Amino acid sequence: ADVRVALRARRDAVAQALREHFGDDARFVTPEGGYFMWVELPEGTNTAELLNSCKERGVTFVKGSDFMLEGGDNCLRLAFSAVTPEQASEGVKLIAETLSSKTAA
């Protein structure tokens, strides 16, 4: 029961941060269980490049193309099980800021 409560809080923090920092630019379904959230960003987003830039800021995720034979270049998988809700929110914020700085350049 304690693990479910902790995971729910972390999942909810990720979902809220995605809504807050990405708005309609991030499509996702809030999972009813598990440890990960699949996020689809706008077409043309290169999550491989985004990942490299995010790592420089201390944030990581798994790029969607790692799970597909073709496609997934604009998708990413966020793990929320090993971070606090605050860390999850901050991580999503940093991903959004990194993406914004790349698209503004």
Side-chain angles (χ1 to χ4, degrees):
D2 291 340
V3 171
R4 280 196 309 265
V5 169
L7 288 175
R8 184 176 302 120
R10 294 165 187 192
R11 176 207 64 194
D12 291 349
V14 170
Q16 179 58 36
L18 285 167
R19 285 189 288 275
E20 181 178 334
H21 298 292
F22 282 92
D24 293 335
D25 285 340
R27 292 190 306 265
F28 63 95
V29 174
T30 304
E32 291 190 31
Y35 307 100
F36 311 103
M37 190 170 301
W38 184 261
V39 182
E40 186 177 338
L41 298 175
E43 286 295 325
T45 302
N46 184 327
T47 56
E49 288 180 10
L50 178 60
L51 177 60
N52 289 331
S53 297
C54 284
K55 283 181 178 179
E56 293 173 5
R57 298 184 78 183
V59 179
T60 191
F61 56 83
V62 181
K63 55 192 186 337
S65 60
D66 286 356
F67 299 96
M68 301 182 167
L69 295 174
E70 294 180 19
D73 296 328
N74 63 315
C75 299
L76 53 94
R77 187 182 80 167
L78 298 174
F80 51 82
S81 59
V83 295
T84 65
E86 295 77 20
Q87 291 169 321
S89 295
E90 182 65 19
V92 170
K93 177 183 173 187
L94 287 171
I95 293 169
E97 289 174 354
T98 304
L99 180 60
S100 180
S101 69
K102 293 185 82 48
T103 56

